[in-house]
Amino acid sequence: MLTLLAALSSSAAGASPVTTSPVTTGLVTTGPVAADPHGTIGIRLLEAPVSHRNDPRALSYIVDHLHPGTTIQRKLEVSNTSRRAQHISLYPASADIVRNAFSAPPGQVQNELASWMSLDRPSIDVAPGAKEIAQVTIKVPPAASRGERYGVVWAESMAESDDANPVRVINRVGIRVYLDVGSGGEPPSDFRIENLTPKRAPDGSPQLEVLIRNTGKRTLDMSGTLSLSDGPSGLQAGPFPADLGVTLLPGSAAPVSVTLDKQVPDGPWKVRLTLMSGMVKRMVTATVTFPATGTGSSVTPDQDYLPLAGLIAGLVVLPATVLGFAVRRRRRAVSPAS
C-alpha cells in the first residue's frame, strides 16, 4: 500500500500556504503518485487582532504580539469541497524559518509555541460541500521569555486505499502562526531594497533578482509586483508578480525574484518595483537591461518614492498587444497650432 502525504496550496478552499517537507518525505513506498480522488479540505482564519485589522498578512496568518500571561482565541473555518464526508483532525504543531522559508515538519511535532496552543474541537466531521467553525486558543505562560515564535495549526484528513485507488492519501492544510512575546509595544517591522540584478533564467525568461534586507524586529513574508516602462519603442509591460515563499528573519537578507514573459525585450527598461510584507511597503525605480544569457550588472535602486497621479495626467496611452504580452506605446501630447 502506498501512502501519499499531500500539502495543499493556497488554491485549495481557503487554505493558507505552508511550506512543508512531507510533500516528498511522506512517500514511504515507491510507486505511482496520485491526487486524492475524494476531493480536498481547506482552512482559513476568520479573525485578526484589532491592531492588525488592515494588515493583509494578519488576515491569512495568526500574527500577533502578546505580553507574558496573555490568552487569546481565534476562530477558524474548516471546509470540505469534496463529495464525501470528511473526518478532519485539528492540531497545533511546530514550525521554523529555514533557509529563508517558513517550514513545518510532518505530524504533531511540538515546540514551545505549539505547547501553548489548543483546539476546542480536536476533530471535526464535515459534510460534503460544508464548513465548520473551530477555535484555537493560545495561552502564553507568565514566565515566557521575549522573542518571536513560529507554529502552525493543521487540518488533516485521510483517504484510505481501496481497489480503485491503491494510494492512501493524507491531505494537510495549515495556518501559519507568528507570535511575538514581550512587554511593551509591538517591535517594528521594516526592510530595505538593496540592489536589483537582471538575469536570464535557464528557460530563457528574463528575471529580476532583488536583494532584500530585514531591518526591523519582526519576521517578514515578502510579496510584490514589477512594472516596466520606457522600453524599446516606448513599450510598457506588467505588472509581473514576485515569486512567493521568501520569509526573512530580523537582520537577514535574501533575494526575491520576479520572472517576466520570455518575449519581453532586453531593454533598457525603467522598472518600478513594489514589495511588501503586511502593511510595510517599499517602492523603488531603476533602469536595467536584461542580459542575453547569465547574469547582468547589479544596480542600486532610486530611493523609495510615492507614485504621483499628476505625472501621468498629460500622457496619452494606446493599448496594444505585442509579442504575446500586454504593452502600451506612449504618444507625445501635441500642442494645438496657434
Side-chain angles (χ1 to χ4, degrees):
M1 178 183 69
L2 292 178
T3 298
L4 174 64
L5 184 57
L8 305 182
S9 71
S10 56
S11 61
S16 296
V18 178
T19 303
T20 58
S21 56
V23 176
T24 53
T25 59
L27 189 61
V28 295
T29 309
T30 58
V33 175
D36 182 358
H38 302 292
T40 60
I41 61 172
I43 185 171
R44 71 185 184 97
L45 185 64
L46 296 180
E47 298 177 315
V50 173
S51 60
H52 289 266
R53 61 182 177 273
N54 297 319
D55 184 347
R57 185 166 169 254
L59 299 178
S60 296
Y61 312 140
I62 298 175
V63 181
D64 216 331
H65 166 76
L66 300 178
H67 292 182
T70 304
T71 298
I72 63 170
Q73 289 85 34
R74 294 287 181 266
K75 285 186 170 60
L76 316 172
E77 179 185 87
V78 181
S79 59
N80 174 14
T81 63
S82 72
R83 286 184 256 174
R84 66 161 192 153
Q86 297 268 9
H87 181 74
I88 299 174
S89 299
L90 299 174
Y91 59 88
S94 69
D96 205 349
I97 312 303
V98 180
R99 293 187 293 275
N100 301 310
F102 189 97
S103 180
Q108 301 189 38
V109 179
Q110 296 287 290
N111 64 1
E112 187 179 33
L113 175 55
S115 72
W116 300 347
M117 296 192 288
S118 60
L119 278 301
D120 67 334
R121 303 175 71 181
S123 64
I124 301 178
D125 292 311
V126 187
K131 301 173 182 177
E132 294 285 342
I133 304 300
Q135 182 173 269
V136 59
T137 297
I138 304 177
K139 186 175 182 180
V140 182
S145 60
R146 177 184 297 274
E148 190 170 27
R149 293 153 171 92
Y150 314 101
V152 61
V153 179
W154 287 117
E156 179 182 288
S157 69
M158 184 181 301
E160 296 291 349
S161 61
D162 53 32
D163 292 340
N165 300 287
V167 177
R168 180 170 175 260
V169 178
I170 299 175
N171 284 325
R172 180 184 291 137
V173 290
I175 292 176
R176 303 183 186 190
V177 183
Y178 298 81
L179 183 66
D180 184 74
V181 175
S183 58
E186 180 171 355
S189 296
D190 204 356
F191 66 90
R192 181 173 65 242
I193 301 173
E194 297 198 337
N195 62 56
L196 313 176
T197 304
K199 304 176 71 174
R200 187 68 60 171
D203 68 353
S205 299
Q207 284 184 331
L208 191 67
E209 187 175 272
V210 185
L211 183 63
I212 308 300
R213 185 172 301 279
N214 185 342
T215 59
K217 304 296 184 182
R218 293 294 306 266
T219 298
L220 305 175
D221 290 302
M222 304 308 305
S223 63
T225 59
L226 176 73
S227 296
L228 307 179
S229 63
D230 298 339
S233 302
L235 297 179
Q236 300 185 16
F240 300 94
D243 295 338
L244 301 178
V246 175
T247 300
L248 288 176
L249 290 167
S252 67
V256 174
S257 295
V258 184
T259 302
L260 285 64
D261 190 287
K262 286 184 180 181
Q263 299 181 74
V264 171
D266 293 347
W269 294 96
K270 180 178 180 180
V271 299
R272 178 186 299 170
L273 176 71
T274 302
L275 290 177
M276 66 194 73
S277 176
M279 294 185 291
V280 182
K281 179 185 292 187
R282 296 286 175 262
M283 295 178 283
V284 297
T285 61
T287 299
V288 302
T289 299
F290 296 100
T293 59
T295 301
S297 299
S298 297
V299 298
T300 300
D302 299 333
Q303 293 182 348
D304 292 5
Y305 75 97
L306 293 176
L308 300 177
L311 294 178
I312 61 173
L315 297 180
V316 178
V317 288
L318 298 178
T321 302
V322 177
L323 299 176
F325 63 94
V327 299
R328 297 182 297 276
R329 294 182 182 275
R330 222 170 33 187
R331 186 175 66 188
R332 292 181 180 176
V334 179
S335 301
S338 57

